[in-house]
Amino acid sequence: MTPTLLGRWQSRLLLLATIGVLISIPFALTYGGPGSHPIFFWVLGYVAGFGLVWDVLYDYLQKFRWDRDWPAAFQVLAGVWEVVFIGILFKTLGLPGMARDMPLDTFIWHYSCVWLAIFTFSQTLMRVLLPRWRFRGGQVL
């Protein structure tokens, strides 16, 4: 499948709003003692927000490939770049809604779990649950 920009955006938002939230709930419930901690949902928000911008660049770069495809290895590199970028902003500037005192390893663990779940779901069950998704450039709607 060669995703379109609109397909990238729709897929990213759908997967973060479903799989990302489901993976973040246990983190939110267990981090920092009893009660819910919203910092992990802020992480999802920043990943979604910055991801919409990154997808414009990814879509542009994809057009330079001879087959106009975006292989899984590039998705892994994009995931690594996104965690590094957001991690640097998180630790140096302190993004609103995210406490700077949260350990970096907790942030990386949460991001990695969310990213791996979304990557796995998009490569497997997404193709089963939404069969036309592949043929519409990743567009869900």
Side-chain angles (χ1 to χ4, degrees), residues 42-108:
W42 280 97
V43 170
L44 291 180
Y46 285 116
V47 169
F50 287 124
L52 295 177
V53 176
W54 290 122
D55 282 340
V56 174
L57 176 64
Y58 299 154
D59 187 64
Y60 175 75
L61 291 175
Q62 178 179 324
K63 291 181 183 358
F64 288 105
R65 294 189 39 84
W66 70 273
D67 60 353
R68 305 281 196 258
D69 199 4
W70 195 255
F74 285 11
Q75 290 177 335
V76 172
L77 292 174
V80 169
W81 163 246
E82 289 176 11
V83 73
V84 168
F85 179 78
I86 294 174
I88 288 172
L89 288 180
F90 161 59
K91 279 303 188 182
T92 58
L93 299 178
L95 296 170
M98 295 178 63
R100 277 186 168 171
D101 59 344
M102 182 172 109
L104 190 58
D105 61 337
T106 304
F107 166 75
I108 292 172

Side-chain angles (χ1 to χ4, degrees), residues 3-141:
T4 62
L5 181 59
L6 185 58
R8 284 181 175 282
W9 286 347
Q10 288 180 9
S11 296
R12 179 182 290 267
L13 295 176
L14 174 71
L15 291 170
L16 284 171
T18 55
I19 305 300
V21 168
L22 288 175
I23 298 295
S24 297
I25 288 172
F27 282 92
L29 293 175
T30 59
Y31 180 71
S36 177
H37 206 288
I39 191 169
F40 299 102
F41 301 105
W42 280 97
V43 170
L44 291 180
Y46 285 116
V47 169
F50 287 124
L52 295 177
V53 176
W54 290 122
D55 282 340
V56 174
L57 176 64
Y58 299 154
D59 187 64
Y60 175 75
L61 291 175
Q62 178 179 324
K63 291 181 183 358
F64 288 105
R65 294 189 39 84
W66 70 273
D67 60 353
R68 305 281 196 258
D69 199 4
W70 195 255
F74 285 11
Q75 290 177 335
V76 172
L77 292 174
V80 169
W81 163 246
E82 289 176 11
V83 73
V84 168
F85 179 78
I86 294 174
I88 288 172
L89 288 180
F90 161 59
K91 279 303 188 182
T92 58
L93 299 178
L95 296 170
M98 295 178 63
R100 277 186 168 171
D101 59 344
M102 182 172 109
L104 190 58
D105 61 337
T106 304
F107 166 75
I108 292 172
W109 176 244
H110 170 253
Y111 179 90
S112 299
C113 289
V114 169
W115 186 89
L116 184 62
I118 286 175
F119 177 77
T120 304
F121 191 83
S122 71
Q123 297 297 314
T124 57
L125 289 176
M126 189 84 153
R127 296 165 192 238
V128 173
L129 297 176
L130 300 170
R132 291 185 179 82
W133 171 78
R134 293 177 45 208
F135 305 109
R136 291 191 280 173
Q139 293 184 28
V140 179
L141 302 176

